[in-house]
Amino acid sequence: MEKSKADLESAANAEGEFNQDLLTDEPDTRPAWGSKVQYILAQVGFSVGLGNVWRFPYLCHKNGGGAFLLLYLLLLFIIGIPLFFLELAAGQIIRQGSIGVWKYISPRLVGIGFASCVVCSFVALYYNVIIAWSLFYLANSFQLPLPWTDCPAATNQTAPETECGHSSPTVYFWYRKALHVTNSLDESGGLDPALTGCLFAAWALVCLAMIKGIKSSGKVLYFSSLFPYVVLLCFLVRALLLEGAVDGIRIMFTPNLSIWRDMQVWRQAATQVFFALGLGFGTIIAYSSYNPRHNNCHIDGLLVSGINFLTSVLATLVVFAVLGFRANMITQDCVERNTKTLSLLASNGSLPATLPHLGNFSDLSAAEYSTWYQGLQNDTAEWLQMWKISDCRAEDEMNKDVEGTGLAFITFTEAMTLFPTSPFWSVLFFFMLLNLGLSTMLGNMQGIITPLLDNFHSLQRRRTLFTVLCCIIGFLLGLVFVQRSGSYFVSMFDDYSATLPLLIVVAFEAFAVAWIYGADRFLSDIEDMLGWRPWRIYSYMWRFVSLGAMLCLLLASLVHMAMKWPTYQAWNREKAEEQMLEYPPWALGLLVGLIVLAALPIPVMFLRQLLMDWFAQRGSRSGMVMAPVPTEDDDEVAERESPADTEHQGNGYLLVQAEDGQD
């Protein structure tokens, strides 16, 4: 039988952990969003980022297409939506930022908010480098032909660059023109001037947005959130008109359920659900805290989660359609090249007698050529391979793994060179990446600046100066990522600096609400706020299923790291190929240090609060009168930090004022 709210309050008060409900009867003085649409677009703008465009399509491409979609959808209901609703409800009930929320629930758990702040700092450092890469490619897109269309000439000006000839023009441009990458992490190579300038421009954009805000109506917000969807739809329509696009989409929706037996696929799918929604960063809590008291945050959670999933599916459709077109073009070139060689060998009488004759080789289609090649005997196929004559199948090209940034900056750029008016599509694509990156980057900065202003009152009087200082520090620390070896540091931070710490943060969030405060008590507070009680299944999900899944994911990630020495993908200039290298010992130490540093605030603040409680109890027993600890006025601080306030420009969004005469 479910306990009543009074019983839950009595039990909690008896334990001495809480003396009040989360939902208070104080006057509603906190600023609110200008409209519900503005709030939803803000949440969508933060959660939908670069990962939806390249990480999700890559994982879907690598892990069985439609089977991964089904697995992702399953884990979205098990992990994503319950924990997303938890953060939305906590922010709307307590109406404070991340640090204030967990301090309000239990002072011993305030370290959760500080850990979120540290993780946001790590992510902001390398995330802005990706924006800098997008700026570099955007600036180079105003050329016809695009600079990565053909290989540059070698020093003798008569033959293409050897390294480019052994790879491809897009691969060569990415590693040798954009990154000027070294062979390994041990080789610094010095700063790259062009990327340093792009990084400065990226931080300047962030700084201006954080200081000035957007000096216009809500149209700018609508543009910044909706523009990526317009671009994706344009790419989808254009790609569907190209030959081979339908084959790519068919491969996407063809499920390979055998991948469900691989635990690493489950780990990757759960991690993607986790990062796609932006759990643990504190931005969801902050945005939700500016909602009206009786806003239906449950519907908000379902709506934003659904939009996020559909965005990932839309981006994957675009990627698979473009990859299908690219694979078809590569296959046609392969068939044309091989048939020319076969025709030359036939004219010389060099073909073996066992080779099946098909008449004129130049008349073969890609499907006919593949069928003919697969019917060859093994010894005949081996003889043809000596002449570099192989099978040509679009499926083989589609199945080649293209990881992370390589999907956007290598594979997709190569496909765009095949489009008519390719510079137009290149400008459109990289402007979309810039837009997606900035919207998420501003949310990350919100997770850094707001908690610091909240806890250090002296900074609030110098908010503008502090914001500029944060951006300057971010730029200076980010110089590590624009060395010639900088892309390897980006991979390190992307793979390890946020993954484990955020898993720990969200696991503690679920534990704090479900077991320390009480899941049923939390649902009762939501009932008082909304006027109806959410589904009881959320109580079981928070206490057992979602929390258990987070712990399993954390354990699986630790086991994966322990069983396999961490590696990164490097470019070998001499061999003109990508290769996997192990992190050197010093880099492994840095990697472990990043993880420990991000998670350290949780136990440190817990021990600090224990000591404070112990000294307080000792002082009360000795008859000492303890001076009251001054507490901040949460409503005033919240008003100063509100991204919905007309005077606040922290996240680049300006409150949309209602017209006169409207409610």
Side-chain angles (χ1 to χ4, degrees), residues 166-180:
H166 290 167
S167 53
S168 72
T170 51
V171 172
Y172 179 82
F173 186 88
W174 168 242
Y175 284 115
R176 302 289 285 114
K177 296 298 183 181
L179 301 179
H180 293 93

Side-chain angles (χ1 to χ4, degrees), residues 229-366:
Y229 295 96
V230 176
V231 175
L232 288 174
L233 288 174
C234 289
F235 267 98
L236 180 61
V237 172
R238 184 67 188 93
L240 290 176
L241 298 177
L242 300 173
E243 186 178 358
V246 176
D247 294 332
I249 294 177
R250 176 180 52 82
I251 293 175
M252 168 187 169
F253 284 105
T254 302
N256 178 18
L257 297 179
S258 61
I259 61 104
W260 284 34
R261 295 194 295 265
D262 188 352
M263 291 305 300
Q264 291 304 319
V265 176
W266 285 78
R267 183 183 66 84
Q268 292 174 351
T271 303
Q272 178 60 24
V273 169
F274 183 82
F275 282 102
L277 294 176
L279 299 173
F281 287 94
T283 306
I284 296 171
I285 294 176
Y287 282 173
S288 180
S289 67
Y290 308 116
N291 275 328
R293 177 71 71 186
H294 302 294
N295 173 68
N296 194 333
C297 57
H298 182 247
I299 295 298
D300 294 345
L302 296 177
L303 179 61
V304 175
S305 300
I307 292 175
N308 191 290
F309 173 72
L310 293 177
T311 303
S312 298
V313 173
L314 174 61
T316 305
L317 278 172
V318 172
V319 168
F320 271 73
V322 172
L323 291 182
F325 164 68
R326 170 180 172 271
N328 181 73
M329 297 296 294
I330 293 176
T331 301
Q332 290 181 1
D333 291 341
C334 175
V335 172
E336 182 179 352
R337 182 176 61 252
N338 289 350
T339 53
K340 285 183 179 180
T341 305
L342 287 170
S343 298
L344 181 62
L345 292 175
S347 63
N348 295 334
S350 302
L351 293 178
T354 57
L355 189 70
H357 182 64
L358 284 178
N360 190 355
F361 286 106
S362 60
D363 295 334
L364 291 178
S365 66

Side-chain angles (χ1 to χ4, degrees), residues 395-418:
E395 291 80 0
D396 294 338
E397 290 296 330
M398 286 289 297
N399 290 332
K400 291 181 179 178
D401 285 345
V402 183
E403 184 173 357
T405 54
L407 183 61
F409 294 101
I410 297 178
T411 306
F412 216 87
T413 53
E414 179 182 348
M416 285 188 295
T417 61
L418 305 174

Side-chain angles (χ1 to χ4, degrees), residues 86 98-107 109 112-113 285 509 512-513:
L86 183 147
S98 59
I99 293 179
V101 162
W102 305 114
K103 181 188 295 185
Y104 205 85
I105 289 179
S106 175
L109 298 177
I112 297 176
I285 294 176
E509 288 181 355
V513 170

Side-chain angles (χ1 to χ4, degrees), residues 276-511:
L277 294 176
L279 299 173
F281 287 94
T283 306
I284 296 171
I285 294 176
Y287 282 173
S288 180
S289 67
Y290 308 116
N291 275 328
R293 177 71 71 186
H294 302 294
N295 173 68
N296 194 333
C297 57
H298 182 247
I299 295 298
D300 294 345
L302 296 177
L303 179 61
V304 175
S305 300
I307 292 175
N308 191 290
F309 173 72
L310 293 177
T311 303
S312 298
V313 173
L314 174 61
T316 305
L317 278 172
V318 172
V319 168
F320 271 73
V322 172
L323 291 182
F325 164 68
R326 170 180 172 271
N328 181 73
M329 297 296 294
I330 293 176
T331 301
Q332 290 181 1
D333 291 341
C334 175
V335 172
E336 182 179 352
R337 182 176 61 252
N338 289 350
T339 53
K340 285 183 179 180
T341 305
L342 287 170
S343 298
L344 181 62
L345 292 175
S347 63
N348 295 334
S350 302
L351 293 178
T354 57
L355 189 70
H357 182 64
L358 284 178
N360 190 355
F361 286 106
S362 60
D363 295 334
L364 291 178
S365 66
E368 292 172 342
Y369 173 84
S370 181
T371 302
W372 170 80
Y373 192 94
Q374 293 179 23
L376 298 177
Q377 300 178 2
N378 291 336
D379 54 346
T380 305
E382 293 176 358
W383 184 87
L384 291 177
Q385 290 173 4
M386 294 174 56
W387 292 90
K388 297 183 179 180
I389 300 175
S390 60
D391 194 5
C392 301
R393 300 175 67 247
E395 291 80 0
D396 294 338
E397 290 296 330
M398 286 289 297
N399 290 332
K400 291 181 179 178
D401 285 345
V402 183
E403 184 173 357
T405 54
L407 183 61
F409 294 101
I410 297 178
T411 306
F412 216 87
T413 53
E414 179 182 348
M416 285 188 295
T417 61
L418 305 174
F419 284 16
T421 63
S422 55
F424 168 77
W425 293 102
S426 183
V427 169
L428 205 60
F429 176 72
F430 288 109
F431 187 64
M432 179 191 71
L433 292 188
L434 176 63
N435 188 277
L436 286 171
L438 283 175
S439 64
T440 303
M441 182 65 190
L442 295 177
N444 287 332
M445 292 300 293
Q446 177 82 3
I448 299 170
I449 294 177
T450 297
L452 296 178
L453 294 176
D454 189 20
N455 286 269
F456 301 98
H457 300 287
S458 60
L459 298 177
Q460 297 172 3
R461 297 189 297 270
R462 303 176 180 85
R463 182 188 184 93
T464 300
L465 180 62
F466 179 65
T467 301
V468 174
L469 182 62
C470 286
C471 292
I472 292 175
I473 294 175
F475 168 71
L476 294 177
L477 294 177
L479 292 177
V480 174
F481 303 98
V482 290
Q483 303 176 93
R484 293 178 61 189
S485 61
S487 61
Y488 305 144
F489 284 95
V490 172
S491 298
M492 177 194 297
F493 273 66
D494 188 34
D495 292 338
Y496 299 103
S497 69
T499 304
L500 288 178
L502 279 181
L503 289 175
I504 295 172
V505 167
V506 179
F508 270 99
E509 288 181 355
F511 179 77

Side-chain angles (χ1 to χ4, degrees), residues 615-627:
F615 281 118
Q617 292 177 2
R618 186 177 180 182
S620 62
R621 290 173 183 173
S622 61
M624 297 175 59
V625 179
M626 302 294 294

